[in-house]
Amino acid sequence: MAPSNTNPVAVADEVLQKSRVTVVGSGNWGSVAAKLIASNTLNINSFHDEVRMWVFEETLPSGEKLSEVINRTNENVKYLPGIKLPKNVVADPDIEHAVKDANMLVFVTPHQFMEGICKRLIGKIRKDAVAISLIKGMEVKKEGPCMISTLISEILGISCCVLMGANIANEIAVEKFSEATVGYRENKEIAEKWVRLFNTPYFMVSAVQDVEGVELCGTLKNVVALAAGFVDGLDMGNNTKAAIMRIGLREMKALSKLLFPSVKDNTFFESCGVADLITTCLGGRNRRCADAFARNGGKRSFDELEEEMLQGQKLQGVSTAKEVYEVLSHRGWLELFPLFSTVHEICSGRLAPSAIVEYTEHSARLPLL
């Protein structure tokens, strides 16, 4: 047998330097993210093949555990039925075990759970770990709004980029073409690594140096999507819906720049901005539930509609609208953002769905916009 020229030390170093990826979350979008990532880790030498996916354990009607079914069938039968995941996706119901070896953490859970998840992970992750958030939403604290990427960075002491875009998960799952935007702070090299991890021929990813702009676009568009759903539920037509989307984009941009003056105008023309707003107002879950809410005259709660229509997925827009309202109220900005304010007042039952077009009488009070 011919002697090998391979240096065992060099091989060991290469293995040690390979990045390990864990996806924290396994809902609809989390499962699709794992599918995208796992297809790339098999083909890019700088990543370990295996992609861990933390699963919040559930018992299915059959009596089986969700994580066990995912690993046996390579399919998330509850949140992404009918789509096969690559065999290198490993579902893990133990979050500490799922993250312990990973140096690239992908967070994709409902935003209201993130603070608790991050606190559980203190001291449990690698010192060289970096993160990316695919989460739309914010935490509202006494000192003001806290973006999820900032929450992750502050609690875990790690760098955190964001990925947002016109990304309805079920369409990406069947490999229909779409785009996304990675937002980063200073380290372009890390941003480019995230781009390599997610980018595929049907999922085109680009990077911009504007974390807050990218993240706020992904967060605030869900509030506008509720407004678009109310318009659809009341059969107000395409002209009205287009007007609501335009006004919503204007309020998104104005609030983003008031909260974070560093936000760049060009970010709103990336996939995370106008493209995400359009697709969410045409086909997202927030629009669908708001449509049903309006058709029922506001008499059925969003909690009830979420349970009935989303099969365990969470509706982000209603909680985000409440959080945005709290920020506006605290800062005395309610009259500057009549669309955002009205959406929350409809969701909370203070106004009828038809009020979504009645607020325009206040439009003269928008000097900042």
Side-chain angles (χ1 to χ4, degrees):
M1 184 173 169
S4 169
N5 293 323
T6 306
N7 182 335
V9 175
V11 171
D13 284 347
E14 186 182 338
V15 170
L16 286 171
Q17 287 167 10
K18 282 189 174 187
S19 294
R20 286 188 181 273
V21 184
T22 290
V23 178
V24 181
S26 59
N28 187 238
W29 186 209
S31 298
V32 173
K35 179 179 185 284
L36 283 167
I37 291 166
S39 69
N40 280 335
T41 60
L42 287 174
N43 297 310
I44 303 175
N45 288 334
S46 55
F47 297 101
H48 278 278
D49 289 354
E50 183 182 279
V51 174
R52 290 256 154 192
M53 180 173 74
W54 173 61
V55 174
F56 180 77
E57 193 66 283
E58 300 177 55
T59 302
L60 299 173
S62 65
E64 292 180 282
K65 301 290 188 186
L66 178 58
S67 64
E68 293 171 2
V69 173
I70 292 172
N71 287 332
R72 178 170 55 80
T73 65
N74 302 117
E75 182 181 340
N76 188 335
V77 294
K78 180 165 185 181
Y79 296 109
L80 194 63
I83 301 295
K84 287 297 179 185
L85 301 176
K87 291 182 179 178
N88 55 318
V89 174
V90 178
D92 191 337
D94 181 340
I95 191 170
E96 292 179 18
H97 183 264
V99 304
K100 72 182 181 72
D101 294 325
N103 64 324
M104 298 184 79
L105 301 172
V106 180
F107 288 96
V108 53
T109 67
H111 76 275
Q112 56 266 41
F113 303 140
M114 271 308 298
E115 187 167 7
I117 286 171
C118 286
K119 286 178 176 175
R120 283 179 65 185
L121 296 180
I122 293 172
K124 309 295 184 185
I125 61 172
R126 282 172 50 167
K127 289 185 169 57
D128 63 342
V130 294
I132 193 165
S133 170
L134 280 57
I135 299 164
K136 280 97 173 175
M138 64 174 81
E139 292 278 323
V140 176
K141 302 182 180 294
K142 287 179 183 174
E143 57 273 22
C146 177
M147 304 312 298
I148 299 300
S149 63
T150 304
L151 188 81
I152 292 167
S153 291
E154 289 181 350
I155 295 177
L156 296 177
I158 59 177
S159 159
C160 187
C161 296
V162 297
L163 182 143
M164 306 281 159
N167 304 147
I168 291 178
N170 288 333
E171 295 183 11
I172 300 167
V174 294
E175 304 187 3
K176 292 181 178 178
F177 178 80
S178 63
E179 300 175 308
T181 312
V182 167
Y184 69 97
R185 281 187 207 289
E186 289 131 16
N187 194 326
K188 191 173 183 181
E189 192 177 325
I190 290 177
E192 288 172 346
K193 195 169 183 179
W194 286 119
V195 169
R196 285 197 302 278
L197 186 64
F198 280 93
N199 194 71
T200 72
Y202 63 89
F203 191 70
M204 301 293 285
V205 185
S206 59
V208 297
Q209 192 174 6
D210 186 4
V211 169
E212 284 81 12
V214 173
E215 194 167 8
L216 276 164
C217 280
T219 296
L220 297 174
K221 55 94 187 191
N222 282 332
V223 182
V224 185
L226 292 174
F230 297 147
V231 166
D232 285 345
L234 296 167
D235 293 320
M236 290 180 173
N238 291 329
N239 292 343
T240 307
K241 188 170 178 179
I244 289 292
M245 290 165 68
R246 184 195 67 80
I247 294 163
L249 181 61
R250 185 173 68 177
E251 292 196 11
M252 285 169 57
K253 182 179 173 187
L255 181 56
S256 297
K257 291 176 83 71
L258 279 173
L259 292 174
F260 299 100
S262 63
V263 167
K264 297 173 180 175
D265 286 348
N266 285 347
T267 299
F268 295 89
F269 296 97
E270 297 288 342
S271 177
C272 63
V274 65
D276 194 9
L277 178 67
I278 291 168
T279 198
T280 307
C281 288
L282 295 179
R285 68 183 77 158
N286 292 281
R287 188 218 64 81
R288 283 192 291 123
C289 287
D291 182 323
F293 182 86
R295 289 187 192 280
N296 285 280
K299 292 183 172 62
R300 296 185 67 195
S301 72
F302 273 104
D303 286 343
E304 186 182 347
L305 292 168
E306 175 187 89
E307 187 174 345
E308 179 184 301
M309 298 174 68
L310 300 185
Q311 287 81 48
Q313 295 177 57
K314 290 295 176 188
L315 195 63
Q316 298 292 291
V318 176
S319 54
T320 301
K322 180 176 183 288
E323 291 153 357
V324 168
Y325 190 90
E326 288 173 7
V327 171
L328 298 179
S329 179
H330 179 72
R331 302 202 178 191
W333 293 346
L334 285 173
E335 290 190 349
L336 298 175
F337 296 91
L339 181 67
F340 286 165
S341 303
T342 301
V343 168
H344 171 64
E345 289 175 351
I346 293 171
C347 291
S348 59
R350 281 182 238 162
L351 291 175
S354 59
I356 199 61
V357 292
E358 293 164 8
Y359 79 92
T360 50
E361 66 194 54
H362 303 301
S363 58
R365 303 179 187 175
L366 298 174
L368 286 177
L369 305 182

